[in-house]
Amino acid sequence: MENTTFDKQNAFQMFQLDLLTDEKILWAGQPEPKLFTGADFYLIPMGLFVFCFSIFWVSQASHMMRHGFEFPFSLFPLFGIPIVLMGFYMLFGRFFFKSWKQRNTYYAVTDQRALILCIAPSRSLQAVIINANSNLNKSINSDGTGTISFGTSSPRAAAYANTGMEVFITAGGLALAPAFYDIKDANTVYQLISNQQRK
């Protein structure tokens, strides 16, 4: 199967430090540059509300300060700053984060495991052993791109997966299953992994 992101030799070089003895790469790829997910139908309006509310809060609190309100009211604008930042991230920042993450994430299927490699800000690897008991799930879009997950995420974590918000979810201790996000020809990759399961 041809991979348009990089050839198999480059993929081998990327993953060579992580391969087990006699392990062979069968497929390798990167996420397609897709920024939007179904979750954005509610995340964008939510971010817009949080951002607008926080701007209103800070402007009103600043107005109170200018008209002689003293401590503790003078601290009210400071309380709004974290909310402004969160609203800005939900509306704009998370898309930059997701794009940066896509460029620095690599996926591979070997004859033994599924590998997820992130090379920034530090090199980290998730490895899932492929066997008959592996819990494999797929979600395919009309253009053939899709997501393959290995295991089951908690419902709340799944709702924010691959949106740029998952960094807060995992930091909160919620389980997020390893996954290949936004890969090209996802169904073909799914069949490849399924064949390895049967072996």
Side-chain angles (χ1 to χ4, degrees), residues 33 40 87 116 153 165:
D40 288 309
I116 303 169
S153 301
M165 297 295 293

Side-chain angles (χ1 to χ4, degrees), residues 135-154:
N135 185 358
L136 194 63
N137 304 286
K138 68 176 179 177
S139 174
I140 310 295
N141 302 315
S142 58
D143 62 358
T145 61
T147 293
I148 300 171
S149 60
F150 307 89
T152 303
S153 301
S154 67

Side-chain angles (χ1 to χ4, degrees), residues 15-180:
F15 287 97
Q16 64 179 336
L17 296 176
D18 310 298
L19 295 178
L20 304 175
T21 304
D22 298 326
E23 188 175 19
K24 296 180 176 61
I25 293 176
L26 306 177
W27 172 89
Q30 282 187 279
E32 291 291 297
K34 297 172 71 71
L35 293 181
F36 296 100
T37 69
D40 288 309
F41 284 108
Y42 60 86
L43 281 178
I44 291 176
M46 185 188 304
L48 183 62
F49 171 79
V50 171
F51 186 68
C52 291
F53 173 79
S54 62
I55 294 296
F56 173 78
W57 173 285
V58 172
S59 64
Q60 289 298 106
S62 299
H63 177 76
M64 291 170 61
M65 286 181 59
R66 287 195 301 269
H67 287 78
F69 286 84
E70 297 181 356
F71 185 86
F73 300 104
S74 59
L75 298 178
F76 276 22
L78 297 178
F79 296 150
I81 292 175
I83 307 174
V84 171
L85 295 176
M86 176 57 72
F88 181 85
Y89 183 82
M90 291 178 69
L91 271 181
F92 307 107
R94 63 189 177 90
F95 296 110
F96 291 99
F97 172 76
K98 182 177 177 179
S99 178
W100 171 82
K101 187 176 180 181
Q102 288 173 334
R103 293 193 303 270
N104 291 284
T105 298
Y106 297 83
Y107 303 130
V109 177
T110 76
D111 54 358
Q112 301 179 44
R113 300 180 297 166
L115 305 176
I116 303 169
L117 175 65
C118 296
I119 61 172
S122 60
R123 195 178 194 279
S124 63
L125 181 79
Q126 283 183 293
V128 179
I129 297 175
I130 300 174
N131 56 40
N133 297 320
S134 300
N135 185 358
L136 194 63
N137 304 286
K138 68 176 179 177
S139 174
I140 310 295
N141 302 315
S142 58
D143 62 358
T145 61
T147 293
I148 300 171
S149 60
F150 307 89
T152 303
S153 301
S154 67
R156 187 178 176 190
Y160 293 98
N162 196 36
T163 64
M165 297 295 293
E166 65 271 14
V167 62
F168 299 104
I169 297 303
T170 53
L174 296 178
L176 186 61
F180 292 172

